[in-house]
Amino acid sequence: MTVYSHTRLALYEKCPLAYKFRYIDKIKPEVGFIGIEMFMGSRVHETLEYVYKQRKKSPLEKITLSEILNYYTFIWKNKWSDDVKVIKEGMTAADYLDQGKLILSEYFHTYQPFDQDETLSVEERIDISIEGFKLMGFIDRVSVNKETGRLEIHDYKTSGNLPEVSDLLKDRQLALYQIGVQRKYNFDGKDCDIVYHFLKYKKEIRFQKTEEELEDLKKKIVGLIQTVELASWENNFPASVGNFCRWCEFSAQCPSFPSLKS
Ligand code: SF4
């Protein structure tokens, strides 16, 4: 049985043909380079994972800022490769290394000693079952707030964009994860907060989804999966040409792509 994910469904919505290339034909796109913003974001995520794992393992031990920054610098050096490229003019790799340090320092000063909540899991795979369809995803962190007793789903963002709250409310990814997390931790029907951390902006945005919103989401997801399954059955994956094509990993295989270049 196919296991879906938010990313997989989102690709189908953007372009069914790109979906086919990736998930049906399983074409492995050639990775030209790794953008340094993504590289830095991954190292910041891994460092926060380290922080909360340490905290869970030894709750009485203090984690210092220098320990956190040393860990970040160590994995930066350890995972660095020549495939990592700086694209933005006037910026250097050292600038991005420092950006990550600044993000982590500010996070440290806001949340240390990291005891506002009890961490249940970090970077955990979550499985979601909706009307017999299977979905999965990975969550940065799941916790229970010590003050409110509410379940919290945390997502860390290192990007330079701060979206409107109205756009975040429309985003289905974490709401989808909420369905799986509530079931897994026996919080079905209980309060749950979705918490976005826009690290560069030192901004935490939190909100709740109502039962009605989650039910509506489930219906939409089931409808979308049924559409994808019908497309697979009929082998019907039309190209959907748009702005997205400029960043498409499958432009070399796509018969519609050359028309874009003219
Ligand atoms: S280049 Fe555009 S139309 Fe072609 S597969 Fe990619 S997204 Fe779809």
Side-chain angles (χ1 to χ4, degrees):
M1 176 182 239
T2 304
V3 179
Y4 291 91
S5 66
H6 166 75
T7 312
R8 184 172 179 144
L9 293 174
L11 184 61
Y12 179 83
E13 288 174 309
K14 270 184 192 153
C15 175
L17 184 57
Y19 175 93
K20 178 177 180 286
F21 286 144
R22 181 181 292 176
Y23 294 108
I24 309 286
D25 301 341
K26 299 193 190 308
I27 295 173
K28 294 228 179 313
E30 271 184 37
V31 182
F33 64 89
I34 303 162
I36 196 159
E37 290 86 355
M38 186 185 277
F39 180 81
M40 186 267 283
S42 299
R43 303 301 77 81
V44 168
H45 272 76
E46 286 159 1
T47 306
L48 291 176
E49 181 182 349
Y50 166 79
V51 168
Y52 284 102
K53 275 189 175 163
Q54 288 298 103
R55 166 87 205 156
K56 200 167 157 57
K57 200 169 77 182
S58 318
L60 298 178
E61 254 177 52
K62 262 192 170 181
I63 302 168
T64 63
L65 180 57
S66 62
E67 182 185 346
I68 292 170
L69 297 183
N70 284 344
Y71 183 84
Y72 168 73
T73 309
F74 171 76
I75 55 171
W76 178 286
K77 286 183 182 158
N78 208 258
K79 298 202 170 176
W80 181 265
S81 91
D82 292 342
D83 294 336
V84 182
K85 296 278 179 262
V86 179
I87 303 295
K88 209 168 175 183
E89 227 171 280
M91 293 289 284
T92 66
D95 292 331
Y96 286 95
L97 175 67
D98 288 346
Q99 248 184 37
K101 284 182 185 172
L102 184 64
I103 284 172
L104 290 166
S105 302
E106 282 167 347
Y107 191 88
F108 175 85
H109 291 304
T110 308
Y111 294 102
Q112 63 91 20
F114 310 106
D115 62 353
Q116 297 81 7
D117 52 25
E118 186 196 340
T119 296
L120 301 180
S121 65
V122 280
E123 298 292 340
E124 182 189 37
R125 174 182 163 142
I126 196 85
D127 292 292
I128 306 138
S129 175
I130 304 175
E131 291 189 23
F133 295 115
K134 302 275 178 218
L135 296 105
M136 58 79 73
F138 287 88
I139 304 181
D140 288 344
R141 193 164 74 90
V142 178
S143 69
V144 176
N145 189 294
K146 286 186 180 165
E147 210 172 289
T148 63
R150 297 166 77 100
L151 192 68
E152 294 180 340
I153 297 170
H154 298 265
D155 192 60
Y156 299 104
K157 303 279 188 206
T158 53
S159 70
N161 304 327
L162 184 61
E164 296 293 329
V165 176
S166 54
D167 289 332
L168 287 177
L169 286 170
K170 280 186 238 148
D171 189 74
R172 69 173 175 224
Q173 186 174 15
L174 295 195
L176 190 57
Y177 294 171
Q178 180 179 334
I179 296 166
V181 167
Q182 279 181 308
R183 233 168 255 174
K184 175 162 187 172
Y185 292 106
N186 295 323
F187 266 76
D188 261 337
K190 294 187 194 159
D191 291 334
C192 179
D193 286 351
I194 289 173
V195 191
Y196 284 97
H197 298 263
F198 287 91
L199 300 171
K200 273 190 184 167
Y201 296 89
K202 293 183 271 175
K203 199 165 171 63
E204 183 186 293
I205 298 176
R206 66 172 62 219
F207 53 84
Q208 298 82 41
K209 289 280 177 189
T210 63
E211 282 296 312
E212 292 72 35
E213 285 171 323
L214 293 179
E215 284 307 315
D216 187 47
L217 174 67
K218 283 184 201 169
K219 276 189 206 136
K220 284 183 177 147
I221 290 289
V222 167
L224 180 54
I225 293 177
Q226 284 171 335
T227 304
V228 176
E229 302 232 319
L230 182 63
S232 304
W233 177 257
E234 295 176 340
N235 192 23
N236 177 25
F237 295 97
S240 172
V241 175
N243 277 342
F244 173 68
C245 296
R246 296 182 199 291
W247 295 278
C248 179
E249 304 164 304
F250 305 105
S251 54
Q253 287 83 12
C254 177
S256 301
F257 188 71
S259 63
L260 288 166
K261 292 192 271 190
S262 54

